[in-house]
Amino acid sequence: MAVISNATILQKYLNLDQRGSVQAEYIWIDGFNQLRSKTKTLTKVPTSVTELSEWNYDGSSTGQAEGHDSDILLKPVAMFNDPFRGNDNKLILCETYNPDGTPHATNFRYSCKKVMDTYAHTIPWFGIEQEYMFMDPETNRPYGWPRNGYPEPQGKYYCGVGAGKIFGRDLVEAHYRACLFAGVNISGVNSEVAPGQFEYQVGPCEGIDMGDHLWIARYILERVAEDFAVGVTIHPKPIQGDWNGAGCHTNYSTEEMREEGGLAAIEKAIEKMSLKHFEHIAVYGEDNDQRLTGKHETGHIGAFSYGIANRGASIRIPRHVGKEGKGYMEDRRPASNIDPYRVTEIILESSLGP
């Protein structure tokens, strides 16, 4: 008897006529810096988030409210195409609000948007390099690793090609295509230093769009991996030992930095950021001390440094930027599990503020 896969069965239903209705997947960030979502039926295709109604959910089940007063409000703020349902269906990124209309304590987008608006005249661009690792849910070990023991040491995996080097390329490709369909500004992918570890780059995005696009890219990755029955971790040190951790290197520039002579503006901004190193570290991800050890292409968490083409520094000025005298900087301190709103906010405010 032939076995029909779940994907084949699902495709049969996805091809059905939706009779003019649209499925809108409302997505938000919970109290554990993770993503949640649920679906609402719309009677017409939305052309803007301003056409979408607010909604609510049970915050006591997401670490965001007590059981006796658990309604949390969802306010749509960004819209993308839905690569899983296709057609005119949408992914809707939302901010979270308390019943009295004030931003929820876990709504870091709200304050980030205010800072981005304050400095909008500088035209800030960001690009984030999201590192992550696929996990085998049965063994709780990295995907493709032997059940017992360890793979060969690091060295042949980064940007590698071939069996025994790359584990999960089909998932990476599916995620890449899904992001492109959704309208996420994904600019590239590559395999990383540890086996089963990958990176995708989102950007350049202006202002608040950086956080919006990265969170949707994360949501899409989780959904794709769900289809493949593979886990995803963005912990900054998923495997202890002599293995690279995972970061979210954050590239940043303003219009002044991108113009002729912009290197001076970059160095001035870095000097201002150096004075608030520990304020940055405080919002640069949980367990980041396990990653920022001064080894495995990182600077030490307890000291600030910068340099041209130095991947062991807190902030790297790319070699071509130093040569051309303009461009951008790369903050290498953020961990893979950051909230991008908190990171882009503090970078902009500390580099341009008083």
Side-chain angles (χ1 to χ4, degrees), residues 164-239:
K165 301 176 187 176
I166 302 302
F167 311 100
R169 192 184 295 277
D170 48 353
L171 283 80
V172 172
E173 186 66 19
H175 172 249
Y176 199 163
R177 295 294 185 90
C179 283
L180 290 172
F181 179 89
V184 170
N185 189 14
I186 185 170
S187 50
V189 300
N190 60 267
S191 57
E192 266 302 331
V193 178
Q197 186 183 52
F198 293 88
E199 172 189 298
Y200 58 88
Q201 302 91 35
V202 176
C205 294
E206 185 174 338
I208 198 67
D209 287 348
M210 183 67 258
D212 293 350
H213 281 241
L214 187 68
W215 273 117
I216 291 297
R218 284 176 172 178
Y219 176 83
I220 292 172
L221 180 60
E222 291 280 2
R223 283 288 309 276
V224 168
E226 177 185 321
D227 287 344
F228 283 83
V230 172
V232 177
T233 178
I234 56 173
H235 190 277
K237 190 69 174 180
I239 299 296

Side-chain angles (χ1 to χ4, degrees), residues 90-102:
K90 302 297 181 182
L91 302 179
I92 311 299
L93 183 65
C94 301
E95 284 190 21
T96 53
Y97 285 80
N98 298 309
D100 63 2
T102 58

Side-chain angles (χ1 to χ4, degrees), residues 286-308:
E286 296 296 320
D287 297 320
N288 206 14
D289 58 310
Q290 297 179 28
R291 167 181 163 266
L292 293 182
T293 62
K295 301 178 180 179
H296 301 110
E297 299 179 285
T298 69
H300 194 278
I301 195 169
F304 182 88
S305 61
Y306 82 95
I308 294 177

Side-chain angles (χ1 to χ4, degrees), residues 124-130 185-187 199-207 209-211 213-214 248-253 258 328-332 334 338 340 343-344 347:
W125 289 0
F126 298 93
I128 293 184
E129 306 165 26
Q130 174 70 69
N185 189 14
I186 185 170
S187 50
E199 172 189 298
Y200 58 88
Q201 302 91 35
V202 176
C205 294
E206 185 174 338
D209 287 348
M210 183 67 258
H213 281 241
L214 187 68
C248 258
H249 301 155
T250 302
N251 301 285
Y252 160 62
S253 69
R258 297 187 294 269
Y328 65 94
M329 70 178 77
E330 177 194 45
D331 192 335
R332 297 179 60 82
I338 58 164
V343 169
T344 54
I347 287 177

Side-chain angles (χ1 to χ4, degrees), residues 57 73 284:
Y57 66 94
L73 304 179
Y284 274 15

